[in-house]
Amino acid sequence: MILFPAIDLKDGQCVRLRLGDMATATIYNDDPAAQAKAFEEQGFEWLHVVDLNGAFKGQSVNSAAVGAILKATKNPVQLGGGIRTLAQIEDWLDRGLARVILGTVAVRNPDLVRQACKAFPGKVAVGIDAKGGKVAVEGWAEASSLGVVELARKFEGAGVAAIIYTDIDRDGVLSGINWDATIDLADAVSIPVIASGGLASIADIVRMTMPDAQKLEGAISGRALYDGRIDPAEALAILQGRPAMEARS
């Protein structure tokens, strides 16, 4: 079970949004590379990065910040936001990404996702962001008519490495992950699912260890880590089945 710390990039800075609204950005660090290194030193083993500007623009905008992150950490990095073509996917993987996350293009052009999975086995994840049970695209600015499970099932057998499922109504507001919808999705497909949106406290970390959540690959945490609501050592110890005090020693 993996806890993915999140770095959301807006104008080259590490920020968190509320409900996906760019106007609500809170800046937590103006040096994303230093933040990536800090997460590694805290014991995290993966990093989740989103190019927020890129998600809205449809092309990578914070490339320099992502490049600096890749140089600063030895941890594998997954990146989403504005990645829409095979050429962009190949370029990012060549630059050292562990995997790319395809969101809008998964709705607009699912065949491209299948092509990417075939060309880059194990390197392609799909981001499914939902509001009111329907998939949102273009940086969450537009709603589609697709249901979450309906979209996910389009990629069964395609080789998708993981599905990152975000409940937009909970993102950035510390209201707790939508465990029911997340686990329902994991039950509906064979692709590993990563929970995202609203992780708020150690209670959510403990929830990740429950039997019905064991099928998940993990969960993403943003604001709760930055605000100190979750202690990294305690959270990682819980997920690894170790006493928290041992993790701090």
Side-chain angles (χ1 to χ4, degrees), residues 212-229:
D212 63 345
Q214 289 301 295
K215 60 178 68 70
L216 301 177
E217 181 174 295
I220 294 167
S221 180
R223 190 179 294 271
L225 283 173
Y226 291 106
D227 285 351
R229 295 168 187 265

Side-chain angles (χ1 to χ4, degrees), residues 68-165:
I69 287 170
L70 290 171
K71 291 179 181 178
T73 181
K74 298 181 179 66
N75 283 344
V77 177
Q78 61 183 22
L79 171 70
I83 303 173
R84 307 282 169 86
T85 69
L86 281 173
Q88 290 171 335
I89 293 167
E90 183 172 17
D91 178 61
W92 275 120
L93 293 176
D94 285 345
R95 292 178 64 177
L97 278 183
R99 61 190 179 199
V100 298
I101 304 167
L102 304 180
T104 294
V105 74
V107 176
R108 306 281 198 225
N109 187 1
D111 283 342
L112 185 141
V113 176
R114 298 184 189 99
Q115 293 170 25
C117 290
K118 186 174 181 180
F120 311 106
K123 302 286 188 179
V124 178
V126 168
I128 299 182
D129 308 323
K131 187 175 182 64
K134 297 297 182 182
V135 178
V137 295
E138 306 293 348
W140 302 354
E142 297 180 21
S144 77
S145 60
L146 276 175
V148 172
V149 172
E150 180 185 0
L151 177 60
R153 283 179 170 160
K154 288 178 181 286
F155 304 111
E156 283 280 42
V160 170
I163 290 173
I164 294 94
Y165 171 64

